[in-house]
Amino acid sequence: MAMPTITTETRKDIEVFTGLELLAEPMEEIPYIVNPLIPSNGITLLSGEPGIGKTAFGWGLGQAMATGVEFLGHATRPGKILYLSLDMTREQIKHRVHKTGFAPRFRFVSYAPYVNCLAGTFKTSLLYRTVQSELTTGDYVLVVIDALVELIGSSLNDDNVPSQVKAILKEWIPQIPVLILHHTRKRKYADSGYAIPATGEQSSGSQFWRGLCCSHLIFDSTNVRHKIILRHDKSQVDAKADDLEVYVDFATSTIKLWADYKAQSEQSRLADYITQATRQHADWDTLAKGEQVRVIMGISGKSRRTVFELFKHKDTLGTAT
């Protein structure tokens, strides 16, 4: 029989103070894992339609933190990330890794059986004990749960469920920020392929889920393929943070800023055009810029203005890539 978890309270667990005392103290910046997307305390909720790229976001964030690089143009806190994959088995993750070539450097916990964190037996479950044991082995700075619907065996819409889930997470994953991936309203499809209204059980639930988190991010699709708008519905920063336009590459499970993707894409296209130009013109390197532009216009079928814009993204004009 598993022994109950015993917590030892200390003086720092409780503080008594007034607002005047706080005003007398200098204000400290809110610490972030990714500023201003993910604070280093509490819960961050990333909502979005199924298949929109939330897992790619989680994998990309984990990789950035594991390698100590920026994520979506923002500095990250380097460190260990634990990724709870509750909707993909080890074999499914392996298939995705092989198919995309994306090899995560962070650590997964994959759990296939049915989960209900609100059940009385959850604290004695293998998932609960494995995660707590793993968190004691290293200095993890973030836990990702993919996805919320896989963690709850009851309705997401009951108003008392979010507060119960928050209490469970606070005890299960103490003092470590949590990023939860959360489906918004799911669609049901008839055999004919036409969408029919989703039931209440399939929706994202009440606004209490928004109250659950310190930061709420929303993935919104656009009419441009692979282009997603990352919105801030709730943030700890005073001013609302700017929305981000991001590019989700489902073929590689990667995510980047849309502007960066466009610039890289344009550079790649220009390199292809120049390669074709050098095959047609042996004296390509000696041609004046205006003549090079005219040649590229003939190859690409694009306007002079567009070709000039392409050349702006090239570091060294006139040199084949």
Side-chain angles (χ1 to χ4, degrees), residues 104-117:
R105 298 188 182 183
F106 49 86
R107 198 162 180 82
F108 283 98
V109 172
S110 177
Y111 190 76
Y114 172 81
V115 181
N116 182 3
C117 71

Side-chain angles (χ1 to χ4, degrees), residues 230-242:
L230 178 61
R231 307 187 187 280
H232 294 72
D233 179 55
K234 176 184 179 184
S235 176
Q236 288 190 339
V237 295
D238 294 332
K240 182 180 178 182
D242 293 334

Side-chain angles (χ1 to χ4, degrees), residues 63 95-104 251-253:
Q63 197 78 328
H95 176 78
R96 183 165 182 160
V97 167
H98 279 272
K99 185 177 179 180
T100 63
F102 187 107
T252 61
S253 285

Side-chain angles (χ1 to χ4, degrees), residues 108 172 178 229 310:
F108 283 98
W172 185 26
V178 178
I229 304 298
L310 290 176

Side-chain angles (χ1 to χ4, degrees), residues 285-298:
D285 290 339
T286 64
L287 294 179
K289 179 181 176 181
E291 183 62 17
Q292 290 183 344
V293 169
R294 187 190 67 77
V295 172
I296 298 299
M297 287 173 59

Side-chain angles (χ1 to χ4, degrees), residues 134-160:
E134 182 64 34
L135 293 178
T136 63
T137 64
D139 297 325
Y140 283 96
V141 296
L142 180 68
V143 175
V144 178
I145 298 177
D146 188 1
L148 180 63
V149 69
E150 305 292 343
L151 191 64
I152 303 173
S154 59
S155 171
L156 293 177
N157 293 345
D158 293 343
D159 288 343
N160 62 329

Side-chain angles (χ1 to χ4, degrees), residues 46-62:
L46 174 63
S47 301
E49 296 178 1
I52 199 173
K54 298 186 299 298
T55 297
F57 180 99
W59 284 29
L61 172 63

Side-chain angles (χ1 to χ4, degrees), residues 185-204:
R185 181 176 293 274
K186 291 176 178 287
R187 295 185 177 89
K188 292 179 65 178
Y189 292 89
D191 294 337
S192 61
Y194 292 99
I196 60 177
T199 65
E201 286 296 317
Q202 292 174 305
S203 71
S204 62

